[in-house]
């Protein structure tokens, strides 16, 4: 599959590497008050953290605190991780959480108790048009009913929420209707449906592929980057409804260059790795219908009862979306892949709730890798990049990456080349590279385009304008 050049003016947003916080460096299992009985104020002071680092710390603390863990969230104003702790006989866990750098808040409900309440809702109130998620900021279950839940259905939901006990859940009504959003990041088409490409990945067998929403694959198994165009990719695995809403779609041409980036229209954001969502985290969604929109993560482990069936394990946000945005990418400004657009209610005029499939769960389920873990995407960048003549296929090839042989098809991720100090964070080796001029950023032959640059590797459609406007996703039935 051939690709056109990306114009030099097409900038790439440099992404600073996010340093993972190791347990040995963060958690202090033996932390306690000093021998004279006074606390160490410096050790107990909450640390200032990036959202990605806060997510890593939260994962560590959830294991450390055990049954005392009541969830956590990121306070963007103070840039601190707030950890909920159910007080008990062993106050040492609170000392440990503070020593690790978290701000500790005592609460009534443990994470396991909130999960148990979620199971009760699943057993007694699985009603189309309802959803629930765990909201650590309120330490309660956030239960929502859309406009179709009335009469006996509302009474049943309300009584189930009350049965959980006071202080366990809040119940609100949404003006919209919960539904999957069919459309996309870079627009992709199958049958009468349009969806968005989420993130390019490397499948377990080393072939180039991408993630999108599982419900998008109900439109067909063969996907193209232009409406009515020739197929460029075939569905390999898909889940919907059930334990998620995700699909792995493999490019038909094993030499397809599928860079680890998101096309936002006139720029690209290099995606370095997948990360867990944290409540309070600022996120960005890209969709082929509505383009870029941002907001916050509101809840985790969300269950949504769509008309097509129940989907569990989602992320709840206040980011708007519309039909056509399904499958599109949810990410952070510093290049962390967070989610794939599933569905919700409302639109980008009135607002509403939107739910996302966690990328980490999808990758684990389909056996794929993303970013630095596997951005090669099949074609080793040498063929079309002119052996690194102009920055090694956009991987920022650098001296060590040579012809992009190790950088891997312009993904900006290779261990030696991408996102590194020499590679310029995967943005290409200076202005001449233009974020991978020769290698392109697209998946389809006709998607590259001088203006579109084919965005997040999905290909942007036959005409160049498509990839500029259409980036993210929900599904749009036609």
């Amino acid at each position: 599959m051939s690709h056109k050049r990306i114009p030099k003016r097409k900038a790439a947003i440099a992404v600073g590497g996010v340093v993972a916080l190791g347990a040995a460096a963060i958690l202090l299992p033996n932390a306690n008050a000093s021998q004279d009985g006074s606390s160490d104020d410096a050790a107990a002071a909450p640390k200032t953290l990036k959202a990605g680092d806060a997510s890593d710390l939260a994962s560590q603390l959830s294991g450390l605190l055990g049954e005392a863990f009541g969830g956590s969230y990121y306070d963007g104003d103070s840039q601190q991780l707030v950890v909920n702790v159910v007080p008990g006989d062993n106050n040492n866990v609170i000392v440990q959480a503070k020593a690790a750098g978290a701000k500790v808040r005592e609460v009534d409900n443990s994470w396991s108790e909130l999960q148990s309440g979620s199971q009760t809702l699943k057993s007694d109130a699985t009603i189309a048009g309802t959803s629930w998620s765990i909201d650590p900021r309120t330490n309660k279950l956030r239960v929502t009913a859309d406009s179709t839940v009335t009469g006996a259905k509302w009474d049943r939901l309300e009584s189930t929420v009350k049965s959980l006990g006071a202080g366990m859940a809040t119940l609100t009504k949404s003006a919209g209707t919960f539904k999957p959003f069919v459309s996309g990041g870079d627009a992709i088409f199958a049958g009468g449906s349009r969806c968005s490409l989420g993130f390019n990945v490397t499948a377990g067998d080393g072939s180039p592929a991408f993630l999108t929403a599982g419900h998008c694959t109900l439109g067909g198994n063969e996907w193209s980057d232009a409406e009515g165009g020739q197929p460029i990719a075939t569905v390999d695995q898909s889940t919907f409804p059930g334990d998620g809403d995700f699909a792995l779609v493999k490019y038909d041409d094993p030499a397809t260059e599928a860079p680890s980036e998101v096309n936002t229209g006139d720029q690209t954001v290099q995606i370095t790795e997948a990360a867990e969502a944290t409540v309070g985290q600022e996120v960005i969604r890209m969709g082929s219908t509505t383009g870029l929109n941002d907001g916050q993560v509101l809840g985790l482990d969300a269950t949504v009862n769509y008309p097509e069936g129940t989907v569990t394990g989602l992320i709840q946000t206040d980011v708007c979306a519309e039909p056509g945005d399904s499958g599109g990418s949810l990410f952070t400004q510093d290049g962390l892949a967070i989610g794939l657009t599933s569905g919700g209610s409302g639109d980008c005029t009135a607002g509403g709730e939107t739910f996302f499939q966690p990328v980490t769960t999808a990758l684990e389920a389909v056996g794929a890798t993303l970013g630095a873990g596997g951005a090669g995407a099949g074609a080793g960048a040498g063929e079309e990049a002119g052996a690194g003549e102009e920055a090694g296929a956009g991987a920022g090839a650098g001296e060590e990456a040579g012809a992009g042989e190790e950088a891997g098809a312009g993904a900006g991720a290779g261990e030696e080349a991408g996102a590194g100090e020499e590679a310029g964070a995967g943005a290409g080796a200076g202005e001449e590279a233009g974020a991978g001029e020769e290698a392109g950023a697209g998946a389809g032959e006709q998607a590259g385009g001088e203006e579109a640059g084919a965005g997040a590797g999905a290909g942007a459609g036959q005409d160049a304008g498509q990839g500029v406007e259409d980036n993210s996703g929900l599904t749009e039935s036609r």
Side-chain angles (χ1 to χ4, degrees):
M1 181 174 292
S2 62
H3 294 279
K4 299 178 181 178
R5 287 179 177 267
I6 298 174
K8 294 180 181 179
R9 63 179 174 78
K10 193 172 189 62
I13 298 175
V15 177
V18 178
V19 180
L21 303 179
I26 300 178
L27 302 184
L28 307 175
N30 299 316
N32 211 326
S34 61
Q35 291 182 356
D36 63 2
S38 62
S39 62
D40 185 342
D41 291 338
K47 294 179 180 178
T48 299
L49 300 168
K50 294 181 179 179
D53 294 341
S55 176
D56 292 337
L57 177 56
S59 297
Q60 299 289 347
L61 287 174
S62 66
L64 173 71
L65 297 174
E67 287 300 309
F69 181 68
S72 62
Y73 63 94
Y74 183 65
D75 186 335
D77 292 335
S78 64
Q79 294 185 306
Q80 294 172 346
L81 177 70
V82 180
V83 175
N84 296 332
V85 177
V86 178
D89 296 332
N90 183 12
N91 287 328
N92 189 50
V93 293
I94 297 179
V95 175
Q96 290 175 320
K98 289 182 177 179
K103 181 178 180 179
V104 174
R105 186 178 71 151
E106 294 188 4
V107 296
D108 295 327
N109 302 317
S110 70
W111 188 261
S112 61
E113 288 172 332
L114 292 168
Q115 287 182 314
S116 178
S118 180
Q119 286 300 312
T120 299
L121 288 165
K122 181 178 180 180
S123 299
D124 301 342
T126 296
I127 302 166
T130 61
S131 72
W132 49 84
S133 63
I134 299 176
D135 182 359
R137 285 184 287 197
T138 62
N139 191 229
K140 295 179 181 180
L141 288 163
R142 178 195 294 265
V143 184
T144 308
D146 72 13
S147 59
T148 67
V149 181
T150 58
K153 291 180 180 179
W154 172 263
D155 294 341
R156 176 180 159 196
L157 179 64
E158 189 176 41
S159 64
T160 303
V161 169
K162 288 181 178 179
S163 74
L164 299 177
M168 277 293 291
T170 60
L171 176 59
T172 59
K173 192 87 169 178
S174 172
T177 302
F178 291 145
K179 58 185 181 296
F181 292 127
V182 185
S183 254
D186 271 339
I188 51 177
F189 303 86
S193 296
R194 174 169 63 91
C195 267
S196 296
L197 183 147
F199 299 98
N200 281 318
V201 298
T202 301
D205 61 2
S207 61
F210 63 82
L211 295 177
T212 189
H215 71 263
C216 290
T217 64
L218 299 178
N221 284 329
E222 295 185 330
W223 288 82
S224 67
D225 57 1
E227 189 169 15
Q230 290 297 311
I232 64 165
T234 303
V235 176
D236 182 73
Q237 302 177 52
S238 181
T239 297
F240 177 83
D243 297 329
D245 184 4
F246 57 89
L248 177 71
V249 186
K250 289 185 178 180
Y251 291 107
D252 296 334
D253 183 352
T256 297
E257 293 166 1
S260 186
E261 60 187 30
V262 173
N263 178 20
T264 65
D266 59 352
Q267 293 179 317
T268 58
V269 177
Q270 298 295 131
I271 301 299
T272 58
E273 61 182 310
E276 299 287 346
T278 303
V279 169
Q281 185 176 29
E282 297 290 334
V283 287
I284 305 166
R285 179 192 59 73
M286 188 64 197
S288 64
T289 298
T290 57
L292 278 176
N293 287 277
D294 60 4
Q296 275 193 6
V297 175
L298 299 180
L300 303 176
D301 197 21
T303 295
V304 185
N305 296 298
Y306 294 125
E308 295 85 352
T310 299
V311 180
T312 60
L314 302 182
I315 302 165
Q316 183 171 358
T317 76
D318 62 2
V319 185
C320 74
E322 295 181 8
D325 290 331
S326 281
S329 40
L330 183 75
F331 58 99
T332 66
Q333 188 174 8
D334 54 354
L336 301 179
I338 302 296
L340 307 167
T341 309
S342 175
S345 68
D347 53 37
C348 287
T349 299
E353 303 84 13
T354 304
F355 300 91
F356 294 84
Q357 164 66 46
V359 172
T360 52
T361 306
L363 289 171
E364 183 178 2
V366 302
T369 52
L370 177 151
E383 288 182 13
E384 294 210 24
E389 284 175 17
E390 295 188 44
E399 291 181 12
E400 292 187 25
E405 290 172 6
E406 293 181 37
E415 198 162 320
E416 295 183 26
E421 292 179 9
E422 293 188 22
E431 191 174 341
E432 288 190 12
E437 237 178 287
E438 231 6 272
E445 283 189 332
Q446 301 175 6
E450 296 235 339
E451 294 294 327
Q462 266 182 329
D463 57 347
Q466 181 96 34
V468 176
E469 303 268 342
D470 292 352
N471 277 291
S472 189
L474 300 107
T475 311
E476 179 178 51
S477 298
R478 296 193 170 186

